[in-house]
Amino acid sequence: MAKVIDGAALASSLRQEYAQRVSALTRRAGIRPGLAVILVGEDAASAVYVRNKVRACEAVGIRSVRLTRETSISTGELVALIESLNSDPEIHGILVQLPLPKHVDMTAVLEAISPEKDVDGFHLYNVGGLVVGKTVFSPCTPYGVCKLLESEHIPVEGQNVVVVGASNIVGKPMALMLMAKDATVAICHAKTRDLAQFTILADILVVAAGVPGLIVPQMVKTGAVVIDVGINRLSDGRIVGDVDFEGVSKKASYITPVPGGVGPMTVTMLLENTIASAERHTRQPAPVSEPA
Ligand code: NAP
C-alpha cells in the first residue's frame, strides 16, 4: 500500500514556521509582509478563494489588503490600480484572482504586476525565468508539489516524470520545475494518443487534468509516486482528484489524497512567496541619493 502524503499536515507545520519568519522580520527590520489581493466581480468561487487567502495571511501575520472592484472595471483602470500597488513599499506581493471578466485583457493586467511582487508567478518574466532557472517566484501549485516531494525525501534527479495536463498555471511550470531538478519529463494533454503508454513509464506521475477517475491502476507503474493535483466536484457533492485513489494506492509507493494533498500547499506557497518577497526587500540597498 502506498504511503499517503499528508499535505494538510505539511502545510500546517510550514505555516507555523512562516509565522516565526514574519515575527523575526518585523523584529529585525520593522517590516510586516503585505499582500494585495484584487478581486473583480461577483464570482462566488473566486470570493471563497480570496477569503481563504486573506485568512491564511492573517494567521501567519501577513498584512493582507483585499481590493474588490466592479465587473465593469476597464483594463486601464485595473492596470492603474496595479501600478499604484507596485510603488507601495508596504505591499510585497500582488495577486489578481482569476478568472477576470471577458472584456478585460488578462495578459495586460498580469504583465502590469512588477515581477518582484508577482507572488503568483504568472508574469512573463517569472515564466521565462522558470525556463532559464532565474525565476523570482515559482507558481504556487507546482511549487507546493515540489515541497511535498522534498518533505518525503523523494529523489527527482534522473527520474522519469510524466505530467498529465499542460496548463500555464500547473502542468507547464510543473514540468519545467522538475526538469530544473534534472528529471526526464514528458508532458501529456487532452490530445495525447494513448495516455497510458506514457504514464506507465513514470517514476513520478503528476496529474493535473481536471478529469475525475482519469488515472486507473493499469496506467501506473508499481512503486510509482503519484501526485494528484486535480480537484473535481462530483454531482453528489464529493470532492475527488483525477486519480482512482483506492485502486492506485495499492500499486504506488506514495500518493497524495484529494482533498488534503496538494490543495493546502497552494495557498501555503503563496504565503512563502510573499514572505520571501518582503525578506528580499529588506536586503535591497537603500536608494543612493542624487548629489545636490
Ligand atoms: P486546465 O487549464 O483546464 O488544464 C487542464 C489540462 O489537462 C490541459 O492541458 C488539458 O489538455 C489536459 N487534459 C484535459 N483532459 C485530459 C485528458 N483526458 N487526458 C490528458 N490531459 C487532459 O486546468 P488547470 O487549471 O491546469 O487545473 C487542472 C486541475 O487541477 C483541475 O482539476 C483544477 O481544479 C486543479 N487545480 C488544483 C489546484 C490545487 O491547489 N490543488 C490548483 C490549480 C488547479 P489540453 O491542453 O490539450 O486542453
Side-chain angles (χ1 to χ4, degrees), residues 53-90:
K53 289 170 187 174
V54 166
R55 277 193 193 145
C57 283
E58 301 300 335
V60 299
I62 295 174
R63 189 174 74 94
S64 63
V65 183
R66 187 173 178 273
L67 299 155
T68 45
R69 292 294 182 268
E70 302 274 330
T71 312
S72 58
I73 193 168
S74 68
T75 302
E77 286 165 328
L78 258 182
V79 167
L81 173 62
I82 289 167
E83 281 168 353
S84 73
L85 295 167
N86 282 342
S87 52
D88 183 339
E90 294 192 347

PDB file of all heavy atoms in Angstrom, residues 53-90:
ATOM      1  N   LYS A  53      -7.423  32.945   1.175  1.00  0.00           N
ATOM      2  CA  LYS A  53      -6.065  33.501   1.090  1.00  0.00           C
ATOM      3  C   LYS A  53      -5.871  34.577   2.148  1.00  0.00           C
ATOM      4  O   LYS A  53      -4.840  34.623   2.825  1.00  0.00           O
ATOM      5  CB  LYS A  53      -5.820  34.062  -0.322  1.00  0.00           C
ATOM      6  CG  LYS A  53      -5.680  32.954  -1.351  1.00  0.00           C
ATOM      7  CD  LYS A  53      -5.683  33.471  -2.786  1.00  0.00           C
ATOM      8  CE  LYS A  53      -5.707  32.293  -3.756  1.00  0.00           C
ATOM      9  NZ  LYS A  53      -5.848  32.680  -5.158  1.00  0.00           N
ATOM     10  N   VAL A  54      -6.889  35.437   2.296  1.00  0.00           N
ATOM     11  CA  VAL A  54      -6.805  36.520   3.283  1.00  0.00           C
ATOM     12  C   VAL A  54      -6.683  35.936   4.693  1.00  0.00           C
ATOM     13  O   VAL A  54      -5.837  36.351   5.487  1.00  0.00           O
ATOM     14  CB  VAL A  54      -8.036  37.453   3.145  1.00  0.00           C
ATOM     15  CG1 VAL A  54      -8.167  38.383   4.342  1.00  0.00           C
ATOM     16  CG2 VAL A  54      -7.945  38.244   1.842  1.00  0.00           C
ATOM     17  N   ARG A  55      -7.497  34.924   4.987  1.00  0.00           N
ATOM     18  CA  ARG A  55      -7.447  34.288   6.317  1.00  0.00           C
ATOM     19  C   ARG A  55      -6.088  33.657   6.574  1.00  0.00           C
ATOM     20  O   ARG A  55      -5.536  33.764   7.667  1.00  0.00           O
ATOM     21  CB  ARG A  55      -8.501  33.188   6.408  1.00  0.00           C
ATOM     22  CG  ARG A  55      -9.858  33.739   6.749  1.00  0.00           C
ATOM     23  CD  ARG A  55     -10.775  32.584   7.138  1.00  0.00           C
ATOM     24  NE  ARG A  55     -12.136  33.061   7.174  1.00  0.00           N
ATOM     25  CZ  ARG A  55     -13.184  32.351   6.825  1.00  0.00           C
ATOM     26  NH1 ARG A  55     -13.037  31.111   6.409  1.00  0.00           N
ATOM     27  NH2 ARG A  55     -14.395  32.855   6.899  1.00  0.00           N
ATOM     28  N   ALA A  56      -5.566  32.973   5.550  1.00  0.00           N
ATOM     29  CA  ALA A  56      -4.264  32.304   5.710  1.00  0.00           C
ATOM     30  C   ALA A  56      -3.175  33.334   5.986  1.00  0.00           C
ATOM     31  O   ALA A  56      -2.286  33.107   6.803  1.00  0.00           O
ATOM     32  CB  ALA A  56      -3.938  31.500   4.447  1.00  0.00           C
ATOM     33  N   CYS A  57      -3.261  34.486   5.311  1.00  0.00           N
ATOM     34  CA  CYS A  57      -2.285  35.568   5.554  1.00  0.00           C
ATOM     35  C   CYS A  57      -2.361  36.025   6.995  1.00  0.00           C
ATOM     36  O   CYS A  57      -1.346  36.093   7.691  1.00  0.00           O
ATOM     37  CB  CYS A  57      -2.594  36.769   4.654  1.00  0.00           C
ATOM     38  SG  CYS A  57      -2.077  36.551   2.968  1.00  0.00           S
ATOM     39  N   GLU A  58      -3.562  36.337   7.437  1.00  0.00           N
ATOM     40  CA  GLU A  58      -3.736  36.876   8.799  1.00  0.00           C
ATOM     41  C   GLU A  58      -3.187  35.882   9.821  1.00  0.00           C
ATOM     42  O   GLU A  58      -2.567  36.273  10.799  1.00  0.00           O
ATOM     43  CB  GLU A  58      -5.215  37.175   9.101  1.00  0.00           C
ATOM     44  CG  GLU A  58      -5.871  38.194   8.145  1.00  0.00           C
ATOM     45  CD  GLU A  58      -5.211  39.565   8.148  1.00  0.00           C
ATOM     46  OE1 GLU A  58      -4.586  39.921   9.151  1.00  0.00           O
ATOM     47  OE2 GLU A  58      -5.312  40.272   7.112  1.00  0.00           O
ATOM     48  N   ALA A  59      -3.402  34.588   9.589  1.00  0.00           N
ATOM     49  CA  ALA A  59      -2.993  33.568  10.566  1.00  0.00           C
ATOM     50  C   ALA A  59      -1.477  33.533  10.769  1.00  0.00           C
ATOM     51  O   ALA A  59      -1.017  33.139  11.835  1.00  0.00           O
ATOM     52  CB  ALA A  59      -3.503  32.203  10.142  1.00  0.00           C
ATOM     53  N   VAL A  60      -0.693  33.932   9.756  1.00  0.00           N
ATOM     54  CA  VAL A  60       0.764  33.914   9.952  1.00  0.00           C
ATOM     55  C   VAL A  60       1.328  35.322  10.164  1.00  0.00           C
ATOM     56  O   VAL A  60       2.529  35.493  10.277  1.00  0.00           O
ATOM     57  CB  VAL A  60       1.509  33.214   8.781  1.00  0.00           C
ATOM     58  CG1 VAL A  60       1.075  31.772   8.642  1.00  0.00           C
ATOM     59  CG2 VAL A  60       1.345  33.961   7.474  1.00  0.00           C
ATOM     60  N   GLY A  61       0.456  36.322  10.187  1.00  0.00           N
ATOM     61  CA  GLY A  61       0.912  37.684  10.469  1.00  0.00           C
ATOM     62  C   GLY A  61       1.183  38.531   9.239  1.00  0.00           C
ATOM     63  O   GLY A  61       1.687  39.649   9.353  1.00  0.00           O
ATOM     64  N   ILE A  62       0.841  38.014   8.028  1.00  0.00           N
ATOM     65  CA  ILE A  62       0.993  38.825   6.810  1.00  0.00           C
ATOM     66  C   ILE A  62      -0.176  39.810   6.759  1.00  0.00           C
ATOM     67  O   ILE A  62      -1.325  39.420   7.010  1.00  0.00           O
ATOM     68  CB  ILE A  62       0.985  37.931   5.545  1.00  0.00           C
ATOM     69  CG1 ILE A  62       2.205  37.020   5.536  1.00  0.00           C
ATOM     70  CG2 ILE A  62       0.904  38.763   4.270  1.00  0.00           C
ATOM     71  CD1 ILE A  62       2.217  35.999   4.401  1.00  0.00           C
ATOM     72  N   ARG A  63       0.125  41.070   6.448  1.00  0.00           N
ATOM     73  CA  ARG A  63      -0.958  42.051   6.303  1.00  0.00           C
ATOM     74  C   ARG A  63      -1.574  41.851   4.921  1.00  0.00           C
ATOM     75  O   ARG A  63      -0.837  41.847   3.921  1.00  0.00           O
ATOM     76  CB  ARG A  63      -0.383  43.468   6.401  1.00  0.00           C
ATOM     77  CG  ARG A  63      -1.427  44.562   6.472  1.00  0.00           C
ATOM     78  CD  ARG A  63      -0.735  45.895   6.716  1.00  0.00           C
ATOM     79  NE  ARG A  63      -0.062  46.384   5.523  1.00  0.00           N
ATOM     80  CZ  ARG A  63      -0.600  47.220   4.644  1.00  0.00           C
ATOM     81  NH1 ARG A  63      -1.816  47.673   4.827  1.00  0.00           N
ATOM     82  NH2 ARG A  63       0.074  47.602   3.580  1.00  0.00           N
ATOM     83  N   SER A  64      -2.887  41.632   4.853  1.00  0.00           N
ATOM     84  CA  SER A  64      -3.477  41.456   3.523  1.00  0.00           C
ATOM     85  C   SER A  64      -4.460  42.591   3.253  1.00  0.00           C
ATOM     86  O   SER A  64      -5.177  43.032   4.152  1.00  0.00           O
ATOM     87  CB  SER A  64      -4.168  40.108   3.409  1.00  0.00           C
ATOM     88  OG  SER A  64      -5.216  40.056   4.313  1.00  0.00           O
ATOM     89  N   VAL A  65      -4.433  43.051   2.022  1.00  0.00           N
ATOM     90  CA  VAL A  65      -5.323  44.133   1.608  1.00  0.00           C
ATOM     91  C   VAL A  65      -6.199  43.569   0.501  1.00  0.00           C
ATOM     92  O   VAL A  65      -5.695  43.133  -0.541  1.00  0.00           O
ATOM     93  CB  VAL A  65      -4.503  45.327   1.065  1.00  0.00           C
ATOM     94  CG1 VAL A  65      -5.420  46.480   0.705  1.00  0.00           C
ATOM     95  CG2 VAL A  65      -3.453  45.755   2.060  1.00  0.00           C
ATOM     96  N   ARG A  66      -7.512  43.543   0.762  1.00  0.00           N
ATOM     97  CA  ARG A  66      -8.437  42.968  -0.218  1.00  0.00           C
ATOM     98  C   ARG A  66      -9.053  44.122  -0.989  1.00  0.00           C
ATOM     99  O   ARG A  66      -9.696  44.995  -0.402  1.00  0.00           O
ATOM    100  CB  ARG A  66      -9.505  42.198   0.557  1.00  0.00           C
ATOM    101  CG  ARG A  66     -10.467  41.396  -0.224  1.00  0.00           C
ATOM    102  CD  ARG A  66     -11.303  40.604   0.788  1.00  0.00           C
ATOM    103  NE  ARG A  66     -12.318  39.811   0.152  1.00  0.00           N
ATOM    104  CZ  ARG A  66     -13.520  40.255  -0.152  1.00  0.00           C
ATOM    105  NH1 ARG A  66     -13.851  41.496   0.122  1.00  0.00           N
ATOM    106  NH2 ARG A  66     -14.386  39.444  -0.732  1.00  0.00           N
ATOM    107  N   LEU A  67      -8.841  44.122  -2.298  1.00  0.00           N
ATOM    108  CA  LEU A  67      -9.359  45.222  -3.118  1.00  0.00           C
ATOM    109  C   LEU A  67     -10.413  44.650  -4.059  1.00  0.00           C
ATOM    110  O   LEU A  67     -10.080  43.881  -4.970  1.00  0.00           O
ATOM    111  CB  LEU A  67      -8.206  45.854  -3.908  1.00  0.00           C
ATOM    112  CG  LEU A  67      -7.105  46.463  -3.024  1.00  0.00           C
ATOM    113  CD1 LEU A  67      -5.785  46.507  -3.754  1.00  0.00           C
ATOM    114  CD2 LEU A  67      -7.505  47.856  -2.578  1.00  0.00           C
ATOM    115  N   THR A  68     -11.679  44.982  -3.824  1.00  0.00           N
ATOM    116  CA  THR A  68     -12.733  44.458  -4.695  1.00  0.00           C
ATOM    117  C   THR A  68     -13.153  45.548  -5.680  1.00  0.00           C
ATOM    118  O   THR A  68     -13.268  46.717  -5.317  1.00  0.00           O
ATOM    119  CB  THR A  68     -13.954  43.986  -3.888  1.00  0.00           C
ATOM    120  OG1 THR A  68     -14.252  44.967  -2.921  1.00  0.00           O
ATOM    121  CG2 THR A  68     -13.715  42.692  -3.181  1.00  0.00           C
ATOM    122  N   ARG A  69     -13.350  45.129  -6.905  1.00  0.00           N
ATOM    123  CA  ARG A  69     -13.752  46.083  -7.947  1.00  0.00           C
ATOM    124  C   ARG A  69     -14.942  45.520  -8.712  1.00  0.00           C
ATOM    125  O   ARG A  69     -15.109  44.311  -8.827  1.00  0.00           O
ATOM    126  CB  ARG A  69     -12.579  46.330  -8.923  1.00  0.00           C
ATOM    127  CG  ARG A  69     -11.398  47.073  -8.297  1.00  0.00           C
ATOM    128  CD  ARG A  69     -11.775  48.499  -7.905  1.00  0.00           C
ATOM    129  NE  ARG A  69     -10.673  49.268  -7.349  1.00  0.00           N
ATOM    130  CZ  ARG A  69     -10.379  49.351  -6.057  1.00  0.00           C
ATOM    131  NH1 ARG A  69     -11.098  48.673  -5.170  1.00  0.00           N
ATOM    132  NH2 ARG A  69      -9.382  50.110  -5.640  1.00  0.00           N
ATOM    133  N   GLU A  70     -15.754  46.444  -9.276  1.00  0.00           N
ATOM    134  CA  GLU A  70     -16.944  46.054 -10.055  1.00  0.00           C
ATOM    135  C   GLU A  70     -16.522  45.314 -11.328  1.00  0.00           C
ATOM    136  O   GLU A  70     -15.452  45.592 -11.877  1.00  0.00           O
ATOM    137  CB  GLU A  70     -17.701  47.310 -10.499  1.00  0.00           C
ATOM    138  CG  GLU A  70     -18.147  48.214  -9.375  1.00  0.00           C
ATOM    139  CD  GLU A  70     -19.484  47.799  -8.789  1.00  0.00           C
ATOM    140  OE1 GLU A  70     -20.289  47.233  -9.542  1.00  0.00           O
ATOM    141  OE2 GLU A  70     -19.682  48.033  -7.590  1.00  0.00           O
ATOM    142  N   THR A  71     -17.424  44.448 -11.809  1.00  0.00           N
ATOM    143  CA  THR A  71     -17.170  43.710 -13.060  1.00  0.00           C
ATOM    144  C   THR A  71     -16.890  44.674 -14.216  1.00  0.00           C
ATOM    145  O   THR A  71     -16.158  44.343 -15.150  1.00  0.00           O
ATOM    146  CB  THR A  71     -18.413  42.865 -13.426  1.00  0.00           C
ATOM    147  OG1 THR A  71     -18.810  42.161 -12.268  1.00  0.00           O
ATOM    148  CG2 THR A  71     -18.130  41.888 -14.542  1.00  0.00           C
ATOM    149  N   SER A  72     -17.461  45.866 -14.145  1.00  0.00           N
ATOM    150  CA  SER A  72     -17.356  46.814 -15.264  1.00  0.00           C
ATOM    151  C   SER A  72     -15.982  47.500 -15.340  1.00  0.00           C
ATOM    152  O   SER A  72     -15.750  48.278 -16.269  1.00  0.00           O
ATOM    153  CB  SER A  72     -18.445  47.875 -15.126  1.00  0.00           C
ATOM    154  OG  SER A  72     -18.299  48.517 -13.870  1.00  0.00           O
ATOM    155  N   ILE A  73     -15.092  47.226 -14.422  1.00  0.00           N
ATOM    156  CA  ILE A  73     -13.779  47.907 -14.435  1.00  0.00           C
ATOM    157  C   ILE A  73     -13.074  47.662 -15.778  1.00  0.00           C
ATOM    158  O   ILE A  73     -13.201  46.573 -16.373  1.00  0.00           O
ATOM    159  CB  ILE A  73     -12.893  47.428 -13.244  1.00  0.00           C
ATOM    160  CG1 ILE A  73     -11.684  48.360 -13.061  1.00  0.00           C
ATOM    161  CG2 ILE A  73     -12.458  45.984 -13.415  1.00  0.00           C
ATOM    162  CD1 ILE A  73     -10.923  48.141 -11.749  1.00  0.00           C
ATOM    163  N   SER A  74     -12.358  48.692 -16.256  1.00  0.00           N
ATOM    164  CA  SER A  74     -11.669  48.531 -17.544  1.00  0.00           C
ATOM    165  C   SER A  74     -10.249  48.004 -17.305  1.00  0.00           C
ATOM    166  O   SER A  74      -9.727  48.074 -16.188  1.00  0.00           O
ATOM    167  CB  SER A  74     -11.589  49.881 -18.266  1.00  0.00           C
ATOM    168  OG  SER A  74     -10.718  50.734 -17.549  1.00  0.00           O
ATOM    169  N   THR A  75      -9.628  47.520 -18.388  1.00  0.00           N
ATOM    170  CA  THR A  75      -8.238  47.053 -18.300  1.00  0.00           C
ATOM    171  C   THR A  75      -7.348  48.193 -17.783  1.00  0.00           C
ATOM    172  O   THR A  75      -6.508  47.995 -16.902  1.00  0.00           O
ATOM    173  CB  THR A  75      -7.748  46.594 -19.696  1.00  0.00           C
ATOM    174  OG1 THR A  75      -8.620  45.564 -20.150  1.00  0.00           O
ATOM    175  CG2 THR A  75      -6.324  46.076 -19.661  1.00  0.00           C
ATOM    176  N   GLY A  76      -7.568  49.407 -18.327  1.00  0.00           N
ATOM    177  CA  GLY A  76      -6.732  50.554 -17.949  1.00  0.00           C
ATOM    178  C   GLY A  76      -6.855  50.869 -16.461  1.00  0.00           C
ATOM    179  O   GLY A  76      -5.851  51.156 -15.793  1.00  0.00           O
ATOM    180  N   GLU A  77      -8.079  50.794 -15.942  1.00  0.00           N
ATOM    181  CA  GLU A  77      -8.271  51.095 -14.517  1.00  0.00           C
ATOM    182  C   GLU A  77      -7.575  50.042 -13.638  1.00  0.00           C
ATOM    183  O   GLU A  77      -6.979  50.367 -12.618  1.00  0.00           O
ATOM    184  CB  GLU A  77      -9.768  51.155 -14.191  1.00  0.00           C
ATOM    185  CG  GLU A  77     -10.437  52.412 -14.713  1.00  0.00           C
ATOM    186  CD  GLU A  77     -11.967  52.316 -14.708  1.00  0.00           C
ATOM    187  OE1 GLU A  77     -12.528  51.211 -14.893  1.00  0.00           O
ATOM    188  OE2 GLU A  77     -12.605  53.377 -14.554  1.00  0.00           O
ATOM    189  N   LEU A  78      -7.669  48.780 -14.072  1.00  0.00           N
ATOM    190  CA  LEU A  78      -7.006  47.714 -13.295  1.00  0.00           C
ATOM    191  C   LEU A  78      -5.485  47.877 -13.340  1.00  0.00           C
ATOM    192  O   LEU A  78      -4.804  47.726 -12.324  1.00  0.00           O
ATOM    193  CB  LEU A  78      -7.372  46.349 -13.887  1.00  0.00           C
ATOM    194  CG  LEU A  78      -8.430  45.537 -13.164  1.00  0.00           C
ATOM    195  CD1 LEU A  78      -8.624  44.202 -13.873  1.00  0.00           C
ATOM    196  CD2 LEU A  78      -8.047  45.280 -11.707  1.00  0.00           C
ATOM    197  N   VAL A  79      -4.979  48.213 -14.518  1.00  0.00           N
ATOM    198  CA  VAL A  79      -3.524  48.413 -14.662  1.00  0.00           C
ATOM    199  C   VAL A  79      -3.076  49.573 -13.773  1.00  0.00           C
ATOM    200  O   VAL A  79      -2.047  49.483 -13.078  1.00  0.00           O
ATOM    201  CB  VAL A  79      -3.150  48.652 -16.152  1.00  0.00           C
ATOM    202  CG1 VAL A  79      -1.720  49.170 -16.291  1.00  0.00           C
ATOM    203  CG2 VAL A  79      -3.329  47.360 -16.950  1.00  0.00           C
ATOM    204  N   ALA A  80      -3.883  50.652 -13.732  1.00  0.00           N
ATOM    205  CA  ALA A  80      -3.525  51.808 -12.887  1.00  0.00           C
ATOM    206  C   ALA A  80      -3.505  51.404 -11.410  1.00  0.00           C
ATOM    207  O   ALA A  80      -2.617  51.812 -10.655  1.00  0.00           O
ATOM    208  CB  ALA A  80      -4.507  52.958 -13.127  1.00  0.00           C
ATOM    209  N   LEU A  81      -4.466  50.577 -11.015  1.00  0.00           N
ATOM    210  CA  LEU A  81      -4.508  50.102  -9.616  1.00  0.00           C
ATOM    211  C   LEU A  81      -3.229  49.305  -9.306  1.00  0.00           C
ATOM    212  O   LEU A  81      -2.584  49.502  -8.272  1.00  0.00           O
ATOM    213  CB  LEU A  81      -5.755  49.231  -9.413  1.00  0.00           C
ATOM    214  CG  LEU A  81      -5.882  48.508  -8.075  1.00  0.00           C
ATOM    215  CD1 LEU A  81      -5.972  49.498  -6.915  1.00  0.00           C
ATOM    216  CD2 LEU A  81      -7.116  47.586  -8.068  1.00  0.00           C
ATOM    217  N   ILE A  82      -2.860  48.430 -10.239  1.00  0.00           N
ATOM    218  CA  ILE A  82      -1.662  47.599 -10.023  1.00  0.00           C
ATOM    219  C   ILE A  82      -0.412  48.473  -9.960  1.00  0.00           C
ATOM    220  O   ILE A  82       0.471  48.272  -9.111  1.00  0.00           O
ATOM    221  CB  ILE A  82      -1.556  46.525 -11.129  1.00  0.00           C
ATOM    222  CG1 ILE A  82      -2.658  45.484 -10.919  1.00  0.00           C
ATOM    223  CG2 ILE A  82      -0.186  45.864 -11.147  1.00  0.00           C
ATOM    224  CD1 ILE A  82      -2.884  44.556 -12.067  1.00  0.00           C
ATOM    225  N   GLU A  83      -0.356  49.496 -10.823  1.00  0.00           N
ATOM    226  CA  GLU A  83       0.831  50.360 -10.811  1.00  0.00           C
ATOM    227  C   GLU A  83       0.970  51.078  -9.474  1.00  0.00           C
ATOM    228  O   GLU A  83       2.076  51.249  -8.962  1.00  0.00           O
ATOM    229  CB  GLU A  83       0.782  51.346 -11.983  1.00  0.00           C
ATOM    230  CG  GLU A  83       1.207  50.631 -13.273  1.00  0.00           C
ATOM    231  CD  GLU A  83       0.927  51.412 -14.538  1.00  0.00           C
ATOM    232  OE1 GLU A  83       0.274  52.483 -14.455  1.00  0.00           O
ATOM    233  OE2 GLU A  83       1.345  50.928 -15.611  1.00  0.00           O
ATOM    234  N   SER A  84      -0.175  51.466  -8.889  1.00  0.00           N
ATOM    235  CA  SER A  84      -0.081  52.144  -7.583  1.00  0.00           C
ATOM    236  C   SER A  84       0.410  51.157  -6.518  1.00  0.00           C
ATOM    237  O   SER A  84       1.170  51.521  -5.633  1.00  0.00           O
ATOM    238  CB  SER A  84      -1.407  52.804  -7.197  1.00  0.00           C
ATOM    239  OG  SER A  84      -2.336  51.799  -6.841  1.00  0.00           O
ATOM    240  N   LEU A  85       0.020  49.892  -6.632  1.00  0.00           N
ATOM    241  CA  LEU A  85       0.489  48.883  -5.671  1.00  0.00           C
ATOM    242  C   LEU A  85       1.972  48.554  -5.895  1.00  0.00           C
ATOM    243  O   LEU A  85       2.708  48.288  -4.950  1.00  0.00           O
ATOM    244  CB  LEU A  85      -0.349  47.609  -5.785  1.00  0.00           C
ATOM    245  CG  LEU A  85      -1.829  47.763  -5.407  1.00  0.00           C
ATOM    246  CD1 LEU A  85      -2.631  46.548  -5.867  1.00  0.00           C
ATOM    247  CD2 LEU A  85      -1.987  47.948  -3.890  1.00  0.00           C
ATOM    248  N   ASN A  86       2.396  48.611  -7.175  1.00  0.00           N
ATOM    249  CA  ASN A  86       3.811  48.347  -7.480  1.00  0.00           C
ATOM    250  C   ASN A  86       4.715  49.323  -6.737  1.00  0.00           C
ATOM    251  O   ASN A  86       5.810  48.974  -6.304  1.00  0.00           O
ATOM    252  CB  ASN A  86       4.085  48.508  -8.983  1.00  0.00           C
ATOM    253  CG  ASN A  86       3.625  47.312  -9.796  1.00  0.00           C
ATOM    254  OD1 ASN A  86       3.411  46.241  -9.245  1.00  0.00           O
ATOM    255  ND2 ASN A  86       3.457  47.511 -11.100  1.00  0.00           N
ATOM    256  N   SER A  87       4.231  50.584  -6.597  1.00  0.00           N
ATOM    257  CA  SER A  87       5.103  51.584  -5.966  1.00  0.00           C
ATOM    258  C   SER A  87       4.811  51.760  -4.469  1.00  0.00           C
ATOM    259  O   SER A  87       5.364  52.639  -3.842  1.00  0.00           O
ATOM    260  CB  SER A  87       4.988  52.921  -6.714  1.00  0.00           C
ATOM    261  OG  SER A  87       3.636  53.271  -6.811  1.00  0.00           O
ATOM    262  N   ASP A  88       3.961  50.896  -3.906  1.00  0.00           N
ATOM    263  CA  ASP A  88       3.648  50.990  -2.472  1.00  0.00           C
ATOM    264  C   ASP A  88       4.661  50.140  -1.692  1.00  0.00           C
ATOM    265  O   ASP A  88       4.673  48.909  -1.804  1.00  0.00           O
ATOM    266  CB  ASP A  88       2.215  50.474  -2.248  1.00  0.00           C
ATOM    267  CG  ASP A  88       1.776  50.589  -0.803  1.00  0.00           C
ATOM    268  OD1 ASP A  88       2.654  50.676   0.078  1.00  0.00           O
ATOM    269  OD2 ASP A  88       0.557  50.575  -0.560  1.00  0.00           O
ATOM    270  N   PRO A  89       5.519  50.759  -0.879  1.00  0.00           N
ATOM    271  CA  PRO A  89       6.572  49.985  -0.194  1.00  0.00           C
ATOM    272  C   PRO A  89       6.037  49.013   0.857  1.00  0.00           C
ATOM    273  O   PRO A  89       6.762  48.115   1.285  1.00  0.00           O
ATOM    274  CB  PRO A  89       7.432  51.075   0.468  1.00  0.00           C
ATOM    275  CG  PRO A  89       6.574  52.290   0.540  1.00  0.00           C
ATOM    276  CD  PRO A  89       5.577  52.199  -0.575  1.00  0.00           C
ATOM    277  N   GLU A  90       4.771  49.170   1.245  1.00  0.00           N
ATOM    278  CA  GLU A  90       4.221  48.247   2.250  1.00  0.00           C
ATOM    279  C   GLU A  90       3.596  47.006   1.635  1.00  0.00           C
ATOM    280  O   GLU A  90       3.131  46.108   2.333  1.00  0.00           O
ATOM    281  CB  GLU A  90       3.195  48.983   3.120  1.00  0.00           C
ATOM    282  CG  GLU A  90       3.883  50.052   3.940  1.00  0.00           C
ATOM    283  CD  GLU A  90       3.018  50.637   5.018  1.00  0.00           C
ATOM    284  OE1 GLU A  90       1.789  50.392   4.998  1.00  0.00           O
ATOM    285  OE2 GLU A  90       3.568  51.346   5.861  1.00  0.00           O
TER     286      GLU A  90
END
